């Protein structure tokens, strides 16, 4: 298909044509009342353009009018299902919400007036062009109509008139292509979202990204901890060869797995967009189960708690629980069953979590894999306005986090 002819084969060209012709209906209805359409003069046609303008300007002030025009524009001005192609991103630049401000109402009124002018012009040109095509076809066939409505009088007959008919038709179609393109370009400017709507959409998108990151961290921390404990427990039970120790290891694996399943169910509820209160997530007051699972794996965990944990706000306590969980998981995963010292201090409006473990003599760094767990700790602290420091300190590995509780 030659490039100049491609626009003529697109379905959206003809839906735009229909969109413009629909806009002319208002003008023709008004013209039927005033000035009337019997033998109209040039001045009468100018009145046809002018008379509907106040009515359309007032209609644009109705908030729902912007929603209706936006839906029409999305459907008829841009490629989509009606064109048998994938939906266009351009369509999303047109708002389908009612007007929320006088600025939006004013832009809608301008859109209606622009659509009237372009639509009426296209309708009149289409009518005159089609009349000329029919008269040219009649002249080529050797027949003459009783009266002429064509803008160009045809005085004779002959087959050569048939050669001009396709030219006129092509001129009409390319005029429609141009008017449709202009309308599609104007739609995002006059029907597009306002600055407040764009800001609201951006905030919503940001919230969605934050929620996805939170879910990813929840899965990493909870399921990763459970799997790490289970692997360490199974390896220790195999190495010990003690039925009693194996029984305790299996109990610990069962308990940890059950807790992980509960956490997984909470995350799945969020993914299903169900209402799940954040208060159902574990807090630092439930940290005993983390410490017990770590001890059941063979690690010696000493914990010091200073200050009232119950006074910590829910969001801070829940994030603190996940940070402690990730710190203990890293110890078991990368250093094994080494001694661990954990301190939880609430003082001067700050919650301090400090987890230290002895580095094994084999030279393990305390950090492994992709480091996503430590990155998650830093992200959690930053979201709450705190700070986190991780790294080697002498012959120990330290995770030090400070979170404001005020």
């Amino acid at each position: 298909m030659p490039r100049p002819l491609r626009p003529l084969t697109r379905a959206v060209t003809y839906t735009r044509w229909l969109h413009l012709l629909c806009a002319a209906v208002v003008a023709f209805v008004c013209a039927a009342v005033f000035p009337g359409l019997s033998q109209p003069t040039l001045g009468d046609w100018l009145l046809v353009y002018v008379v509907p303008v106040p009515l359309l300007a007032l209609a644009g002030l109705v908030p729902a009018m912007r929603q209706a025009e936006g839906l029409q524009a999305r459907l008829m001005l841009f490629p989509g299902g009606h064109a048998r192609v994938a939906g266009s991103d351009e369509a999303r630049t047109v708002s389908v919400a009612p007007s929320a401000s006088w600025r939006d109402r004013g832009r809608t009124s301008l859109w209606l007036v622009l659509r009237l002018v372009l639509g009426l012009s296209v309708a009149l040109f289409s009518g005159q062009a089609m009349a000329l095509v029919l008269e040219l076809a009649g002249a080529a066939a050797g027949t003459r109509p009783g009266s002429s409505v064509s803008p160009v009088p045809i005085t004779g007959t002959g087959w050569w008139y048939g050669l001009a008919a396709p030219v006129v038709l092509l001129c009409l179609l390319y005029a429609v292509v141009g008017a449709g393109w202009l309308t599609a370009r104007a739609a995002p400017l006059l029907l597009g979202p306002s600055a407040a709507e764009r800001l609201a959409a951006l905030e919503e998108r940001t919230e969605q990204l934050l929620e996805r990151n939170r879910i990813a961290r929840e899965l990493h921390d909870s399921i990763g901890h459970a799997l790490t404990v289970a692997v360490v427990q199974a390896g220790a039970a195999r190495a010990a060869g003690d039925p009693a120790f194996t029984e305790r290891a299996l109990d610990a694996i069962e308990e940890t797995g059950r807790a992980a399943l509960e956490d997984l169910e909470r995350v799945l509820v969020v993914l299903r967009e169900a209402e799940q209160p954040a208060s159902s997530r574990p807090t630092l007051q439930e940290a005993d189960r983390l410490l017990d699972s770590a001890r059941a794996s063979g690690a010696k965990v000493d914990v010091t708690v200073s200050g009232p944990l119950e006074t910590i706000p829910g969001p801070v306590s829940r994030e603190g629980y996940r940070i402690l969980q990730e710190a203990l998981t890293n110890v078991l995963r990368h250093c094994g069953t080494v001694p661990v010292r954990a301190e939880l201090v609430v003082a001067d409006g700050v919650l301090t979590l400090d987890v230290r473990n002895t580095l094994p003599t084999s030279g393990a760094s305390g950090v492994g894999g992709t480091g996503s767990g430590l990155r998650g700790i830093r992200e959690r602290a930053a979201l709450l306005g705190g700070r986190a420091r991780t790294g080697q300190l002498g012959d120990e590995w330290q995770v030090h986090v400070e979170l404001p509780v005020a």
Side-chain angles (χ1 to χ4, degrees):
M1 177 67 65
R3 186 179 182 88
L5 296 180
R6 289 178 186 173
L8 306 184
T9 62
R10 300 175 62 199
V12 72
T13 297
Y14 301 96
T15 59
R16 289 173 178 176
W17 193 358
L18 178 60
H19 185 263
L20 290 169
L21 292 179
C22 290
V25 172
V26 177
F28 284 120
V29 169
C30 292
V33 179
F34 179 82
L37 295 177
S38 59
Q39 298 181 346
T41 64
L42 178 60
D44 291 335
W45 283 119
L46 292 177
L47 287 176
V48 172
Y49 276 93
V50 173
V51 168
V53 169
L55 298 177
L56 293 176
L58 290 175
L61 302 182
V62 179
M65 183 61 67
R66 179 170 177 249
Q67 184 178 28
E69 290 295 318
L71 290 171
Q72 289 185 64
R74 281 195 175 189
L75 176 63
M76 305 182 75
L77 295 182
F78 302 99
H82 60 282
R84 296 193 181 99
V85 296
S88 172
D89 290 336
E90 291 179 297
R92 298 187 181 93
T93 62
V94 175
S95 176
V96 292
S99 299
S101 66
W102 285 107
R103 181 181 178 85
D104 293 339
R105 295 183 176 94
R107 290 193 300 152
T108 305
S109 297
L110 288 176
W111 164 258
L112 291 174
V113 173
L114 174 64
R115 189 180 169 195
L116 165 72
V117 173
L118 288 176
L120 183 56
S121 300
V122 169
L124 293 177
F125 184 70
S126 299
Q128 295 295 307
M130 293 304 297
L132 180 57
V133 168
L134 291 176
E135 291 213 11
L136 288 171
T143 61
R144 300 287 297 115
S147 61
S148 175
V149 294
S150 169
V152 180
I154 305 299
T155 57
T157 60
W159 62 268
W160 52 86
Y161 284 105
L163 300 177
V167 176
V168 176
L169 188 58
L170 283 176
C171 290
L172 171 61
L173 292 177
Y174 279 114
V176 170
V177 170
W181 178 87
L182 181 60
T183 308
R185 298 287 76 76
L189 298 177
L190 299 178
L191 295 179
S194 63
E197 289 173 328
R198 288 194 296 269
L199 180 59
L202 180 61
E203 290 177 348
E204 182 180 358
R205 175 62 176 165
T206 302
E207 288 296 328
Q208 291 175 351
L209 291 176
L210 289 175
E211 183 66 14
R212 287 173 58 184
N213 289 336
R214 187 185 72 80
I215 291 173
R217 288 195 300 266
E218 291 283 339
L219 286 174
H220 176 274
D221 295 348
S222 178
I223 307 303
H225 174 79
L227 292 177
T228 299
V229 170
V231 169
V232 173
Q233 289 278 15
R238 180 183 292 110
D242 182 358
F245 183 85
T246 300
E247 184 68 23
R248 292 195 301 271
L250 291 175
D251 290 340
I253 292 174
E254 180 183 6
E255 181 181 353
T256 305
R258 185 177 294 109
L261 287 175
E262 294 175 359
D263 290 337
L264 180 60
E265 180 61 27
R266 278 192 287 266
V267 173
L268 292 177
V269 167
V270 173
L271 290 175
R272 297 188 191 107
E273 299 182 349
E275 293 295 331
Q276 178 71 15
S279 57
S280 64
R281 294 165 52 200
T283 64
L284 281 176
Q285 291 180 269
E286 304 170 59
D288 287 343
R289 73 178 190 180
L290 288 179
L291 303 174
D292 291 341
S293 65
R295 292 187 182 108
S297 300
K300 181 181 179 182
V301 182
D302 294 327
V303 181
T304 302
V305 178
S306 176
L309 294 180
E310 65 276 4
T311 62
I312 301 175
V316 179
S317 187
R318 288 189 287 270
E319 295 302 317
Y321 177 95
R322 292 305 186 193
I323 291 172
L324 178 61
Q325 183 181 54
E326 179 59 30
L328 293 175
T329 301
N330 280 343
V331 173
L332 295 174
R333 181 181 298 161
H334 305 302
C335 297
T337 55
V338 297
V340 181
R341 299 197 315 276
E343 293 184 3
L344 284 74
V345 180
V346 181
D348 300 326
V350 177
L351 167 65
T352 302
L353 291 90
D354 190 89
V355 180
R356 303 188 186 191
N357 63 275
T358 304
L359 292 174
T361 56
S362 58
S365 63
V367 184
T370 62
S372 58
L374 297 180
R375 183 171 62 250
I377 290 176
R378 290 189 289 269
E379 289 176 353
R380 289 180 185 275
L383 284 175
L384 292 174
R387 57 183 180 178
R389 182 176 69 251
T390 62
Q392 188 170 345
L393 186 65
D395 60 349
E396 293 182 323
W397 183 266
Q398 179 190 42
V399 174
H400 183 87
V401 179
E402 297 179 1
L403 304 176
V405 298

